[in-house]
């Protein structure tokens, strides 16, 4: 199998393999919206053995711009954002019982509020459940509209579950901005070019620290991702061990 970070498609942008860093290739993909695809795009996704499409958008977005499904694909609606519900519903109690950090910057505070919302936690858990029951010869894609914020939250959670270091997680998050620059030029970077871009990223500035809204909230509030997995996502230790066995390279 060719290990290609960015999958070149005619219409969807920011479609890429989450593999590498010790994560298995060809199993988990992330993307922007999948409501516009050419026939060739759908053939490509079918050839990648992607059988599960997790749509993280709101029900309104999904109705207005429904995904196009390729042969063998199954749509799973897992809107990450709560609709008609306050994000801060449990913040006071959570801060009382846990050491939840406070962020002055906009993005990390938004990601934190999404992370601690009961609706969002159920959606995150549902993505993990889909990955846990995915057959060995199949793959899954998750996406939102632009493939950055909601898709980014899920990516951080998956990479944390697999023990990927924070610096690498931040670089994966920031790569979206670079790929949109390429999409405007109707070009797709080679793996070599992509490696050069990633190497030049300064994750201590700009949007790099945004993911701390997730990583530090989990670590300071619960001590480790493993505890958050059980206490907030409602999944078992055995399921976490299975997840790592399924998606980490030997």
């Amino acid at each position: 199998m060719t290990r290609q970070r960015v999958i070149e498609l005619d219409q969807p942008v920011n479609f890429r393999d989450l593999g590498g860093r010790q994560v298995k290739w060809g199993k988990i993909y992330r993307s922007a919206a999948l409501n516009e695809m050419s026939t060739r795009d759908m053939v490509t996704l079918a050839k990648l053995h992607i059988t599960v499409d997790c749509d993280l958008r709101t029900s309104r977005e999904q109705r207005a711009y429904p995904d196009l499904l390729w042969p063998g694909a199954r749509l799973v609606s897992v809107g990450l954002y709560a609709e008609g519900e306050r994000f801060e519903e449990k913040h006071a109690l959570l801060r009382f019982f846990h050491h939840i950090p406070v962020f002055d910057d906009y993005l990390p505070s938004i990601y934190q509020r999404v992370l601690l919302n009961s609706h969002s936690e159920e959606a995150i858990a549902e993505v993990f459940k889909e990955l846990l029951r995915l057959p060995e010869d199949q793959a899954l894609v998750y996406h939102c509209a632009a493939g950055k914020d909601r898709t980014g939250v899920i990516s951080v959670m998956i990479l944390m579950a697999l023990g990927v270091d924070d610096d690498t997680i931040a670089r994966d998050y920031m790569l979206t901005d670079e790929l949109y620059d390429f999409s405007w030029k109707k070009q797709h970077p080679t793996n070599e070019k992509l490696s050069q871009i990633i190497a030049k990223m300064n994750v201590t500035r700009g949007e790099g620290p945004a993911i701390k809204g997730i990583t530090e909230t989990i670590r300071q509030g619960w001590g480790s991702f493993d505890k958050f997995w059980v206490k907030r996502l409602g999944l078992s230790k055995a399921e976490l061990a299975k997840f790592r066995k399924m998606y980490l390279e030997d």
Side-chain angles (χ1 to χ4, degrees):
M1 182 189 69
T2 301
R3 295 184 172 186
Q4 183 71 32
R5 171 73 56 223
V6 179
I7 310 300
E8 184 173 354
L9 299 174
D10 294 329
Q11 292 295 331
V13 296
N14 198 17
F15 195 105
R16 61 191 201 255
D17 194 325
L18 206 66
R21 290 92 49 169
Q22 82 241 27
V23 181
K24 285 184 178 179
W25 290 85
K27 293 293 295 179
I28 309 174
Y29 296 90
R30 55 175 292 172
S31 179
L34 297 175
N35 60 291
E36 294 183 355
M37 285 193 287
S38 67
T39 300
R40 182 166 61 176
D41 290 339
M42 290 190 278
V43 169
T44 297
L45 269 58
K47 286 183 176 179
L48 291 172
H49 306 291
I50 301 173
T51 59
V52 180
D53 169 15
C54 290
D55 192 339
L56 306 174
R57 299 175 300 166
T58 63
S59 57
R60 182 177 179 180
E61 289 174 288
Q62 293 183 36
R63 287 193 300 269
Y65 307 100
D67 280 2
L68 296 177
L69 289 181
W70 51 99
R74 173 172 58 90
L75 178 65
V76 181
S77 177
V78 279
L80 186 63
Y81 289 166
E83 300 178 59
E85 183 180 350
R86 289 179 60 86
F87 278 143
E88 297 85 356
E89 58 172 328
K90 294 182 179 179
H91 265 214
L93 283 175
L94 283 171
R95 291 192 187 282
F96 181 79
F97 289 108
H98 299 276
H99 300 289
I100 306 296
V102 176
F103 297 99
D104 295 326
D105 293 335
Y106 176 75
L107 266 181
S109 62
I110 286 295
Y111 289 169
Q112 181 187 77
R113 283 187 285 172
V114 172
L115 179 68
L116 298 181
N117 178 271
S118 58
H119 172 92
S120 301
E121 289 172 345
E122 290 172 6
I124 292 168
E126 185 57 37
V127 174
F128 277 118
K129 289 175 184 177
E130 288 291 339
L131 286 166
L132 281 164
R133 53 178 167 250
L134 190 69
E136 187 176 356
D137 60 346
Q138 297 177 20
L140 174 149
V141 63
Y142 55 91
H143 75 90
C144 54
K148 182 179 181 181
D149 294 314
R150 287 167 286 188
T151 300
V153 169
I154 296 296
S155 298
V156 172
M157 297 296 290
I158 291 173
L159 294 175
M160 283 191 77
L162 296 175
V164 176
D165 64 276
D166 287 6
D167 185 72
T168 301
I169 293 175
R171 291 175 190 275
D172 179 80
Y173 168 81
M174 293 175 65
L175 189 55
T176 291
D177 292 335
E178 299 292 340
L179 292 179
Y180 269 92
D181 288 341
F182 276 97
S183 70
W184 283 113
K185 300 172 186 175
K186 302 297 181 182
Q187 298 174 338
H188 288 266
T190 62
N191 273 347
E192 181 180 359
K193 180 65 176 177
L194 207 55
S195 296
Q196 293 172 358
I197 291 171
I198 294 171
K200 290 180 180 179
M201 285 181 182
N202 186 339
V203 298
T204 63
R205 297 179 182 178
E207 293 183 337
I211 66 153
K212 290 186 177 180
I214 302 172
T215 58
E216 291 307 305
T217 295
I218 289 174
R219 293 198 185 101
Q220 292 185 37
W222 284 268
S224 69
F225 181 87
D226 293 29
K227 291 180 180 178
F228 184 87
W229 170 278
V230 174
K231 295 182 180 297
R232 298 299 299 178
L233 299 185
L235 300 169
S236 69
K237 293 180 180 179
E239 286 173 315
L240 182 55
K242 177 183 176 182
F243 183 75
R244 289 169 175 165
K245 185 176 181 179
M246 288 177 68
Y247 295 104
L248 286 175
E249 296 284 4
D250 295 333

